Amino acid sequence: MKVGYIFATDMASTFKLATMILPQLETGNHGAEVVGMFFFDDNVYTLREGDPVGERLAKIAAEKNILLMACDQCALRRNLAEGDFSQCG
């Protein structure tokens, strides 16, 4: 079974990803093939270089070919992307 995760609620990446999903992926007992993850709101901070959870995620995503995506407007509002809102949509 293939799954994709959407991190859209408060602290979803801090709690659900960091304490449940990522440890299972790292030990190889997740049970489903994760094909992608999409991050919204403050969850996009996880994708910053140097973030401990993000660094672990980047490693496992590269190994397992997991697509990581962030909301463009969420990243722009948090100064994690370059561009302007006219490019969003």
Side-chain angles (χ1 to χ4, degrees):
M1 170 177 40
K2 295 181 181 183
V3 298
Y5 287 106
I6 298 172
F7 299 99
T9 59
D10 291 344
M11 298 184 63
S13 59
T14 303
F15 179 66
K16 294 175 183 131
L17 175 62
T19 66
M20 295 188 284
I21 299 165
L22 190 53
Q24 290 176 352
L25 290 171
E26 291 170 328
T27 58
N29 64 351
H30 184 62
E33 179 187 354
V34 179
V35 295
M37 297 183 182
F38 203 109
F39 295 78
F40 286 93
D41 301 319
D42 285 346
N43 293 297
V44 299
Y45 286 122
T46 301
L47 301 177
R48 290 180 296 189
E49 185 175 348
D51 181 271
V53 174
E55 295 290 337
R56 290 170 51 206
L57 178 60
K59 180 180 178 196
I60 203 78
E63 291 172 5
K64 298 187 179 287
N65 197 31
I66 298 171
L67 176 63
L68 302 178
M69 300 170 285
C71 166
D72 54 358
Q73 290 190 32
C74 299
L76 281 169
R77 290 181 194 282
R78 290 158 181 82
N79 296 315
L80 297 176
E82 295 179 8
D84 59 64
F85 292 102
S86 67
Q87 299 170 334
C88 300

